[in-house]
């Protein structure tokens, strides 16, 4: 039996990880530390009996130390982060506070409890990072590897790069047992509606414009969140202390093509699901039209990275990682989840940006 502290465990990826971990390791105990800001949602982790939610800030050093000691935590899985690029452009201070200062606070507490006054028992601090820290790729550039230099282009990615440097430094300076993973764009259940896939899905259902930045040709590698969770598990269980691992989905796609696929899935759902037109009468698909009609080009985001691509060879060879969700199946399953879980997203829909 293991005791885990999962920061940001009421968010999208963190919440999915909690569900994944309790199914894979039913005897383990999970403490979730989450501030429950706009993207944190209690309902994401409803019914998970092995997990206890503690509402608090990762920058509260005393609280983190107390949790580590009192609950005999041996593994920290660090998801907590401000993560929306648009929000980082309009308000970077929150990203500096949570992503940099918050990570430093966690590391200080882990060092104090596990090393300075600890028992010497095995421990692991796993830091979840992003491919965005590597910057932007040209159309023919090779994919990011673990040794690609950091070159962040937004306040969000800069804050994640800084937190990654801190994690590395705590390993090399103090001997803290750490691993880091860089993931590509996640999608799947419980994702806050400001992100591309749920935003396009819900806008298509409500007949609202589906925004497309610039020419829509920005390329992303899409990773189903369940595959990401399995990759994190492998990093924790098999990763070498101090090492970093890329976790990718192997599904590079321009944003415009992704939106077209979402629209096609929505149209298909209206032709197959009885009663959908009555539930969402404003959707073009409900009255013989197509969600494609809602595509709307908007001015490009400042500093918008053109292409991300992940080379996950190291994780495949050293950890045994392999994504199991084909994009077509994962996207269809994600749409079904949102259609079947309106009670989860309905309270959030009006707050999207």
């Amino acid at each position: 039996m293991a005791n885990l502290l999962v920061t940001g465990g009421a968010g999208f990826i963190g919440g999915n990880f909690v569900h994944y971990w309790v199914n894979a390791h039913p005897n383990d105990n999970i403490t979730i530390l989450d501030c429950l800001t706009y993207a944190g949602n209690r309902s994401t982790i409803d019914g998970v009996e092995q997990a206890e939610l503690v509402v608090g800030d990762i920058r509260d050093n005393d609280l983190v130390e107390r949790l580590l000691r009192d609950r005999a935590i041996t593994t920290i899985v660090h998801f907590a982060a401000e993560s929306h690029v648009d929000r980082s452009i309009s308000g970077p201070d929150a990203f500096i506070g949570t992503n940099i200062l918050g990570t430093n606070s966690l590391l200080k507490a882990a060092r104090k409890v596990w090393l300075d006054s600890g028992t010497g028992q095995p421990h692991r601090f796993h830091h979840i990072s992003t491919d965005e820290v590597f910057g932007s790729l040209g159309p023919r550039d090779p994919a990011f590897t673990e040794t690609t230099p950091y070159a962040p282009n937004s306040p969000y990615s800069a804050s994640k790069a800084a937190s990654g440097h801190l994690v590395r430094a705590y390993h090399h300076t103090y001997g803290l047992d750490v691993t880091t993973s860089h993931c590509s764009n996640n999608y799947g259940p419980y994702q806050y509606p400001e992100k591309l896939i749920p935003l396009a899905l819900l806008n298509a259902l409500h007949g609202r414009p589906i925004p497309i930045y610039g020419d829509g040709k920005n390329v992303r590698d899409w990773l189903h969140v369940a595959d990401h969770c399995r990759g994190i598990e492998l990093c924790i269980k098999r990763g070498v202390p101090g090492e970093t691992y890329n976790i990718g989905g192997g599904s590079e796609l321009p944003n415009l093509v992704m939106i077209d696929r979402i629209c096609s899935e929505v149209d298909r759902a209206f032709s197959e699901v009885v009663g959908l037109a009555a539930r969402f009468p404003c959707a073009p698909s409900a009255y013989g039209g197509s969600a494609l009609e809602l595509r709307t080009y908007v001015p490009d985001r400042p500093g918008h990275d053109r292409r991300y691509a992940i080379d996950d060879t190291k994780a495949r060879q050293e950890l045994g990682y392999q994504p199991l969700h084909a994009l077509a199946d994962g996207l269809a399953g994600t749409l079904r989840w949102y259609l079947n879980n309106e009670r989860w997203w309905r309270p959030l829909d009006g707050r999207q940006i």
Side-chain angles (χ1 to χ4, degrees):
M1 183 179 74
N3 299 319
L4 284 72
L5 176 66
V6 179
T7 71
F12 165 46
I13 306 177
N16 274 279
F17 177 81
V18 168
H19 284 280
Y20 175 88
W21 194 273
V22 299
N23 287 327
H25 307 276
N27 295 320
D28 288 357
N29 298 312
I30 294 179
T31 300
I32 298 168
L33 179 59
D34 200 299
C35 245
L36 294 182
T37 55
Y38 77 95
N41 193 336
R42 289 178 183 269
S43 63
T44 296
I45 50 174
D46 278 351
V48 184
E49 295 182 358
Q50 298 98 312
E52 179 184 352
L53 172 64
V54 176
V55 179
D57 196 320
I58 59 173
R59 291 171 291 184
D60 186 340
N61 206 249
D62 291 340
L63 171 62
V64 176
E65 286 184 20
R66 187 165 63 251
L67 291 175
L68 294 179
R69 285 198 179 96
D70 294 350
R71 305 186 181 213
I73 300 294
T74 58
T75 303
I76 296 174
V77 192
H78 179 32
F79 294 95
E82 297 285 347
S83 65
H84 193 49
V85 175
D86 285 354
R87 290 178 184 266
S88 81
I89 293 170
S90 61
D93 288 358
F95 290 73
I96 304 302
T98 298
N99 299 356
I100 300 177
L101 300 181
T103 300
N104 185 57
S105 180
L106 287 172
L107 289 165
K108 286 196 301 181
R111 176 194 171 196
K112 183 174 182 179
V113 174
W114 287 342
L115 299 180
D116 294 350
S117 59
T119 62
Q121 66 182 9
H123 62 269
R124 172 61 55 92
F125 184 113
H126 183 73
H127 177 59
I128 288 83
S129 189
T130 169
D131 56 3
E132 296 190 42
V133 299
F134 299 121
S136 185
L137 292 171
R140 294 181 177 83
D141 288 340
F144 300 129
T145 70
E146 289 81 359
T147 59
T148 300
Y150 282 7
N153 290 318
S154 71
Y156 161 60
S157 55
S159 68
K160 290 298 289 185
S163 63
H165 286 314
L166 283 170
V167 172
R168 174 184 170 86
Y170 266 74
H171 171 70
H172 286 276
T173 301
Y174 305 114
L176 197 68
D177 184 334
V178 307
T179 46
T180 296
S181 56
H182 301 104
C183 67
S184 54
N185 279 45
N186 279 224
Y187 71 98
Y190 301 111
Q191 191 167 26
Y192 192 76
E194 69 188 356
K195 302 293 186 172
L196 186 150
I197 289 179
L199 176 66
L201 283 174
L202 299 188
N203 282 14
L205 293 176
H206 292 296
R208 299 189 295 243
I210 299 174
I212 301 170
Y213 282 124
D215 61 7
K217 295 181 180 179
N218 301 75
V219 175
R220 300 294 182 261
D221 172 29
W222 293 95
L223 169 67
H224 193 281
V225 67
D227 288 328
H228 186 195
C229 291
R230 189 171 55 260
I232 294 169
E233 177 189 33
L234 290 169
C235 289
I236 295 170
K237 296 292 186 179
R238 302 180 185 177
V240 176
E243 290 295 313
T244 63
Y245 300 92
N246 286 349
I247 302 174
S251 299
E252 279 191 67
L253 213 62
N255 288 344
L256 182 58
V257 175
M258 171 57 80
I259 288 172
D260 286 354
R261 291 194 181 186
I262 294 168
C263 291
S264 296
E265 286 292 336
V266 171
D267 291 344
R268 184 159 65 91
F270 273 83
S271 69
E272 295 176 354
V273 179
V274 176
L276 205 55
R279 288 171 58 192
F280 302 104
C282 294
S285 313
Y287 47 83
S290 171
L292 292 168
E293 303 166 19
L294 300 171
R295 295 177 303 173
T296 304
Y297 288 89
V298 299
D300 206 357
R301 166 193 292 161
H304 199 180
D305 289 337
R306 193 62 170 173
R307 172 177 169 247
Y308 303 142
I310 281 279
D311 181 343
D312 57 13
T313 300
K314 179 178 177 180
R316 289 173 182 262
Q317 292 181 347
E318 297 186 12
L319 305 180
Y321 168 73
Q322 183 177 351
L324 301 180
H325 290 75
L327 182 59
D329 295 336
L331 191 59
T334 298
L335 173 58
R336 286 194 301 271
W337 187 89
Y338 278 89
L339 291 177
N340 293 332
N341 290 273
E342 188 174 348
R343 290 178 61 186
W344 181 87
W345 59 258
R346 179 65 73 175
L348 308 176
D349 187 45
R351 291 193 278 141
Q352 62 184 324
I353 63 173

